[in-house]
Amino acid sequence: MPHLSRIYSILQQLPRLRPTAYCHFRFPSSSSTSWCKTGLRLLSIISTEHATAIPLLLAAKDDKTVETISEDDLYKYTRHRWAIHESSRLKERYLKFNLQALLEAAVAACFSSGARCCTKILKCKEGMNNKAYILTMDNGTEVLAKLPNPCAGPSFYTTASEVATRTFLRDALSIPIPRIIAWSANRSNAIGAEYIIEEKAVGEPLGNLWKTLDTLPMNDRMAIVDKILEIEKKLASIKFTKFGCLYFREDIPNSDPLQTNPPLSSQMLDRFTMGPLVSNEFWSGEKSWYGSQSRTIKFIKEYATPRMNYHRSLVKPESPHEMLSLIDQYLQLTPAMVPAQLTKDVDIHSPTLWHPDLHPNNIFVDPETKNLSHVIDWQAASSLPLFYHCHVPTAIKHHGPALTVLDDLDSWPESPQNYHSLSPDEKSYIDNAIGSEYLHKYYLSSTRVKNPRLWAVLQRAAELNLRTGPAGWVQSSWSNNETFFLRQSLMSIANRWEELCPDAGPCPWVFTEDEIASYEHEKETRGYVSPFLAYFRDNWGMPVDGCIEVGRFTEVRAEMKRMKAHFVGSADDEEEKKLAEKIWPYEM
């Protein structure tokens, strides 16, 4: 084997074969950095004969089968279609990148395991914000490549924050998260996109096993809930001094070391800092900056123009000044948006890092042992006051009718007295419904014992959702045509001002008769279409944004056309007919 210096000399003459992302590798120790560049350039020569080979291209389907796809399908969003603003939804989820450069980076990431080329690309079932591919190498090694779509969040910050957050959670809290092997938050790299190359999560998504007790018995479910409780307890044990998202300090110029309570090691704190939030509502459209109310006001003044809101009027446009007035009312009502501490011993105010969406497909389970193996999708995880995290995880939350009051931990669901006379299908339905309700209560009762900070929040969930509601609407209500919901959440707080702020004096916002009349009129017209939104949700699982599985799109569109004809045809006169045409929620 020639000396490394000789190899380096040869490689200097072959720049087009150099891997594109070696500078983003995080090696286990600093000693390996000295040879990484030469070693990875060596890899380019070793794999030159495979450089132009096209791997097998596959895509996972909802029925757990796979299908062969074209290269262009790798870049498109193909899992759903939309009945509202489809062209813009698809455009913000289209991501063209240099596939060959990505494969070179992935092979380089697997070089130490003996990989020399990628033989298969499996496009995973698509989430709304990212492309994910399982890349299989010639030696059987598998890694996951994750690339954020344009709609995922702000460039650079979205990936830089996710990588730092996952590194912190693995290293500081030992939370089971797949290890990141290589990454880049700079779209100007040779791949042409931000990316993360990571170990493939062990096992399979909990969603594959969670549907019925037949696939996952109750004891195994309770063990998984216990593991989730353990993870949440670790998260609640660390209090930060600032709001925001985590970053490596080198990615945020002039940043201060992270501060926590209790303090972690100085070596750990010096690696990280707190920086901008990456939630999309702060960065959408022209509003591409870190959000604050002053900047939201600036955005409205510079970019917003009058537009029609047909739920309010068929002739009078909605003015940006009305939105500015709502923001002013929001600022006046902020004292009610921060709850009081019930006891000095339990702190619900300090910023706490939390998983943004713990649904069943973000939890991986070993199918043999049924043990939780990994938690994925920490993108946009943020440090916010703990009272913003006042919800039962989606994976555990009971959905549907309940036999008992879910928050009443003194009563637990039981089978009906005629259970033994029921058919097998009826028994299975009842068993699964009771099991779901039981797990929800088991989670609450265990949290009460094991995680007092989180329990202090969960037992006040209804109150806290009322208090924090406006904060969830204010950033994006104008750009998403949702000023009604911001106004509604503010009016809910104003109506309960004395209860929420007993020592603050009279409510600073008193509704005028015109404001009440305008709100009630819009509420009424929105109520006209609510049954149709519920109809498509209940029968096709379609959310309010009109997202539909591709295979059912034609069927649903035909039903929408039929229902619209019924809706418009039921109008009493031409003015009502015009209103019905304008407020119908779906594009035809």
mmCIF file of all heavy atoms in Angstrom, residues 62-78:
data_model
loop_
_atom_site.group_PDB
_atom_site.id
_atom_site.type_symbol
_atom_site.label_atom_id
_atom_site.label_comp_id
_atom_site.label_asym_id
_atom_site.label_seq_id
_atom_site.Cartn_x
_atom_site.Cartn_y
_atom_site.Cartn_z
ATOM 1 N N ASP A 62 -47.677 2.716 2.485
ATOM 2 C CA ASP A 62 -48.427 2.668 3.738
ATOM 3 C C ASP A 62 -48.810 1.245 4.140
ATOM 4 O O ASP A 62 -49.015 0.965 5.323
ATOM 5 C CB ASP A 62 -49.682 3.531 3.645
ATOM 6 C CG ASP A 62 -49.358 5.022 3.691
ATOM 7 O OD1 ASP A 62 -48.324 5.376 4.285
ATOM 8 O OD2 ASP A 62 -50.127 5.821 3.129
ATOM 9 N N ASP A 63 -48.921 0.332 3.160
ATOM 10 C CA ASP A 63 -49.287 -1.048 3.472
ATOM 11 C C ASP A 63 -48.075 -1.905 3.821
ATOM 12 O O ASP A 63 -48.161 -3.132 3.844
ATOM 13 C CB ASP A 63 -50.063 -1.674 2.313
ATOM 14 C CG ASP A 63 -49.228 -1.741 1.027
ATOM 15 O OD1 ASP A 63 -48.038 -1.352 1.056
ATOM 16 O OD2 ASP A 63 -49.781 -2.168 -0.003
ATOM 17 N N LYS A 64 -46.932 -1.261 4.076
ATOM 18 C CA LYS A 64 -45.677 -1.910 4.496
ATOM 19 C C LYS A 64 -44.962 -2.636 3.366
ATOM 20 O O LYS A 64 -43.971 -3.325 3.603
ATOM 21 C CB LYS A 64 -45.915 -2.871 5.670
ATOM 22 C CG LYS A 64 -46.479 -2.202 6.918
ATOM 23 C CD LYS A 64 -46.658 -3.204 8.047
ATOM 24 C CE LYS A 64 -47.281 -2.539 9.260
ATOM 25 N NZ LYS A 64 -47.493 -3.494 10.379
ATOM 26 N N THR A 65 -45.452 -2.513 2.123
ATOM 27 C CA THR A 65 -44.732 -3.040 0.977
ATOM 28 C C THR A 65 -43.843 -1.935 0.410
ATOM 29 O O THR A 65 -43.876 -0.790 0.875
ATOM 30 C CB THR A 65 -45.705 -3.537 -0.102
ATOM 31 O OG1 THR A 65 -46.493 -2.425 -0.565
ATOM 32 C CG2 THR A 65 -46.618 -4.620 0.458
ATOM 33 N N VAL A 66 -43.038 -2.276 -0.589
ATOM 34 C CA VAL A 66 -42.189 -1.289 -1.252
ATOM 35 C C VAL A 66 -42.458 -1.340 -2.744
ATOM 36 O O VAL A 66 -42.957 -2.335 -3.269
ATOM 37 C CB VAL A 66 -40.684 -1.539 -0.969
ATOM 38 C CG1 VAL A 66 -40.389 -1.423 0.516
ATOM 39 C CG2 VAL A 66 -40.244 -2.896 -1.497
ATOM 40 N N GLU A 67 -42.141 -0.232 -3.405
ATOM 41 C CA GLU A 67 -42.303 -0.173 -4.846
ATOM 42 C C GLU A 67 -41.076 0.481 -5.467
ATOM 43 O O GLU A 67 -40.386 1.279 -4.824
ATOM 44 C CB GLU A 67 -43.548 0.633 -5.214
ATOM 45 C CG GLU A 67 -43.520 2.070 -4.749
ATOM 46 C CD GLU A 67 -44.780 2.834 -5.109
ATOM 47 O OE1 GLU A 67 -45.557 2.327 -5.940
ATOM 48 O OE2 GLU A 67 -44.982 3.949 -4.569
ATOM 49 N N THR A 68 -40.796 0.119 -6.706
ATOM 50 C CA THR A 68 -39.689 0.728 -7.438
ATOM 51 C C THR A 68 -40.089 2.133 -7.878
ATOM 52 O O THR A 68 -41.226 2.359 -8.307
ATOM 53 C CB THR A 68 -39.325 -0.126 -8.666
ATOM 54 O OG1 THR A 68 -39.021 -1.451 -8.240
ATOM 55 C CG2 THR A 68 -38.118 0.467 -9.390
ATOM 56 N N ILE A 69 -39.161 3.081 -7.765
ATOM 57 C CA ILE A 69 -39.458 4.470 -8.130
ATOM 58 C C ILE A 69 -38.350 5.009 -9.026
ATOM 59 O O ILE A 69 -37.277 4.410 -9.163
ATOM 60 C CB ILE A 69 -39.598 5.368 -6.884
ATOM 61 C CG1 ILE A 69 -38.297 5.352 -6.060
ATOM 62 C CG2 ILE A 69 -40.778 4.932 -6.035
ATOM 63 C CD1 ILE A 69 -38.294 6.336 -4.908
ATOM 64 N N SER A 70 -38.606 6.160 -9.626
ATOM 65 C CA SER A 70 -37.604 6.847 -10.436
ATOM 66 C C SER A 70 -36.779 7.773 -9.543
ATOM 67 O O SER A 70 -37.160 8.057 -8.399
ATOM 68 C CB SER A 70 -38.288 7.679 -11.523
ATOM 69 O OG SER A 70 -39.014 8.758 -10.929
ATOM 70 N N GLU A 71 -35.680 8.259 -10.067
ATOM 71 C CA GLU A 71 -34.858 9.176 -9.283
ATOM 72 C C GLU A 71 -35.628 10.449 -8.954
ATOM 73 O O GLU A 71 -35.524 10.983 -7.841
ATOM 74 C CB GLU A 71 -33.572 9.537 -10.029
ATOM 75 C CG GLU A 71 -32.688 10.494 -9.234
ATOM 76 C CD GLU A 71 -31.389 10.833 -9.936
ATOM 77 O OE1 GLU A 71 -30.911 10.013 -10.749
ATOM 78 O OE2 GLU A 71 -30.836 11.931 -9.672
ATOM 79 N N ASP A 72 -36.441 10.929 -9.890
ATOM 80 C CA ASP A 72 -37.188 12.166 -9.628
ATOM 81 C C ASP A 72 -38.156 11.990 -8.463
ATOM 82 O O ASP A 72 -38.450 12.943 -7.744
ATOM 83 C CB ASP A 72 -37.946 12.597 -10.886
ATOM 84 C CG ASP A 72 -38.421 14.037 -10.787
ATOM 85 O OD1 ASP A 72 -37.637 14.894 -10.329
ATOM 86 O OD2 ASP A 72 -39.575 14.312 -11.157
ATOM 87 N N ASP A 73 -38.651 10.759 -8.259
ATOM 88 C CA ASP A 73 -39.554 10.505 -7.130
ATOM 89 C C ASP A 73 -38.849 10.654 -5.788
ATOM 90 O O ASP A 73 -39.510 10.853 -4.765
ATOM 91 C CB ASP A 73 -40.159 9.100 -7.229
ATOM 92 C CG ASP A 73 -41.207 8.993 -8.327
ATOM 93 O OD1 ASP A 73 -41.855 10.011 -8.623
ATOM 94 O OD2 ASP A 73 -41.357 7.893 -8.898
ATOM 95 N N LEU A 74 -37.539 10.546 -5.778
ATOM 96 C CA LEU A 74 -36.792 10.761 -4.532
ATOM 97 C C LEU A 74 -36.946 12.193 -4.044
ATOM 98 O O LEU A 74 -36.931 12.455 -2.834
ATOM 99 C CB LEU A 74 -35.300 10.471 -4.737
ATOM 100 C CG LEU A 74 -34.870 9.022 -4.960
ATOM 101 C CD1 LEU A 74 -33.380 8.982 -5.257
ATOM 102 C CD2 LEU A 74 -35.193 8.157 -3.752
ATOM 103 N N TYR A 75 -37.102 13.115 -4.973
ATOM 104 C CA TYR A 75 -37.111 14.536 -4.638
ATOM 105 C C TYR A 75 -38.526 15.067 -4.380
ATOM 106 O O TYR A 75 -38.694 16.092 -3.725
ATOM 107 C CB TYR A 75 -36.467 15.339 -5.764
ATOM 108 C CG TYR A 75 -35.154 14.771 -6.253
ATOM 109 C CD1 TYR A 75 -34.932 14.513 -7.606
ATOM 110 C CD2 TYR A 75 -34.129 14.476 -5.360
ATOM 111 C CE1 TYR A 75 -33.727 13.995 -8.053
ATOM 112 C CE2 TYR A 75 -32.926 13.945 -5.802
ATOM 113 C CZ TYR A 75 -32.737 13.698 -7.145
ATOM 114 O OH TYR A 75 -31.538 13.177 -7.577
ATOM 115 N N LYS A 76 -39.527 14.373 -4.901
ATOM 116 C CA LYS A 76 -40.904 14.839 -4.783
ATOM 117 C C LYS A 76 -41.531 14.380 -3.469
ATOM 118 O O LYS A 76 -41.117 13.392 -2.869
ATOM 119 C CB LYS A 76 -41.759 14.287 -5.939
ATOM 120 C CG LYS A 76 -41.377 14.772 -7.318
ATOM 121 C CD LYS A 76 -42.274 14.080 -8.344
ATOM 122 C CE LYS A 76 -41.969 14.527 -9.759
ATOM 123 N NZ LYS A 76 -42.818 13.803 -10.751
ATOM 124 N N TYR A 77 -42.599 15.096 -3.072
ATOM 125 C CA TYR A 77 -43.454 14.610 -2.003
ATOM 126 C C TYR A 77 -44.574 13.815 -2.656
ATOM 127 O O TYR A 77 -45.330 14.351 -3.471
ATOM 128 C CB TYR A 77 -44.038 15.753 -1.174
ATOM 129 C CG TYR A 77 -44.834 15.264 0.013
ATOM 130 C CD1 TYR A 77 -44.223 15.023 1.233
ATOM 131 C CD2 TYR A 77 -46.198 15.002 -0.103
ATOM 132 C CE1 TYR A 77 -44.940 14.543 2.316
ATOM 133 C CE2 TYR A 77 -46.930 14.522 0.977
ATOM 134 C CZ TYR A 77 -46.294 14.290 2.180
ATOM 135 O OH TYR A 77 -47.004 13.808 3.252
ATOM 136 N N THR A 78 -44.695 12.534 -2.326
ATOM 137 C CA THR A 78 -45.617 11.657 -3.053
ATOM 138 C C THR A 78 -46.615 10.927 -2.156
ATOM 139 O O THR A 78 -47.451 10.184 -2.661
ATOM 140 C CB THR A 78 -44.815 10.597 -3.834
ATOM 141 O OG1 THR A 78 -43.955 9.886 -2.920
ATOM 142 C CG2 THR A 78 -43.956 11.248 -4.907
#
